[in-house]
Amino acid sequence: MCSHHTLTVLVSSPVSLSEESIAPTPTTRQDAKTDSEDTELANSMGEFYQLFQRLLVITLVLTGIIFISVWIFYSLNIALNYLIGACTGVVYLKMLARDVEQLGGERTRLSKTRLALFIGVIVLATQWHELKILPVFLGFLTYKATLLVYMVQTAFIPDS
């Protein structure tokens, strides 16, 4: 009689060991896939933030070196014109990084507002007589020099 009572308890138990309960459900597989994708995305974004910080530091160092050099070899006025362009380039670089960061999530294309920033600075330089167009433009291109420095570093200096 004891064995019958045990059998009844086992059969009426809400926990069953059928194949359906042992095999992972599709949502479990999807959750595991989502977790690995989330981890991969977090790693990618971490690399992106490191790259952006590195580019920003290189840009600021180049800006300082070039600003001092232009001040020594030309004049403070031209150096300040360069600095206006370089600061605009840094803002442009930050806007570009923000757009790239949002790609894939809610956006599928880059915005065009960065171009308006560049056009605005050049128009300001042409209209304001104290500003010179060439130093402002070359200052803006400092972020491009940063990309060249970064590419040379990655090509010739191995990561440690």
Side-chain angles (χ1 to χ4, degrees):
M1 185 139 182
C2 260
S3 65
H4 177 68
H5 188 279
T6 309
L7 183 61
T8 308
V9 171
L10 287 176
V11 171
S12 65
S13 167
V15 177
S16 81
L17 297 176
S18 67
E19 284 186 37
E20 292 173 299
S21 66
I22 295 174
T25 61
T27 56
T28 306
R29 289 180 190 151
Q30 190 174 10
D31 290 345
K33 186 177 178 183
T34 303
D35 289 343
S36 67
E37 287 175 354
D38 289 344
T39 304
E40 188 176 317
L41 179 63
N43 290 341
S44 297
M45 290 309 291
E47 289 176 15
F48 170 74
Y49 292 129
Q50 285 178 337
L51 174 63
F52 174 67
Q53 290 298 322
R54 189 171 179 184
L55 291 176
L56 190 60
V57 167
I58 293 171
T59 302
L60 294 175
V61 167
L62 279 176
T63 298
I65 291 169
I66 295 170
F67 173 75
I68 291 170
S69 300
V70 171
W71 188 1
I72 290 170
F73 291 108
Y74 292 100
S75 69
L76 179 60
N77 186 33
I78 292 182
L80 290 173
N81 282 285
Y82 165 81
L83 191 60
I84 289 170
C87 289
T88 305
V90 168
V91 171
Y92 183 91
L93 185 63
K94 284 187 170 201
M95 290 172 73
L96 180 63
R98 186 181 54 214
D99 281 351
V100 169
E101 178 183 26
Q102 293 173 351
L103 267 178
E106 61 234 26
R107 284 196 185 170
T108 57
R109 294 182 355 174
L110 295 175
S111 75
K112 306 283 191 240
T113 57
R114 294 181 320 279
L115 185 59
L117 175 71
F118 171 69
I119 291 171
V121 165
I122 295 300
V123 167
L124 181 68
T126 59
Q127 299 301 313
W128 200 358
H129 297 292
E130 285 80 26
L131 293 179
K132 309 279 188 253
I133 296 172
L134 189 60
V136 170
F137 178 70
L138 293 175
F140 177 78
L141 291 181
T142 302
Y143 84 95
K144 294 283 191 180
T146 297
L147 297 176
L148 291 173
V149 167
Y150 175 75
M151 291 305 295
V152 168
Q153 281 181 343
T154 57
F156 296 113
I157 301 172
D159 276 343
S160 47

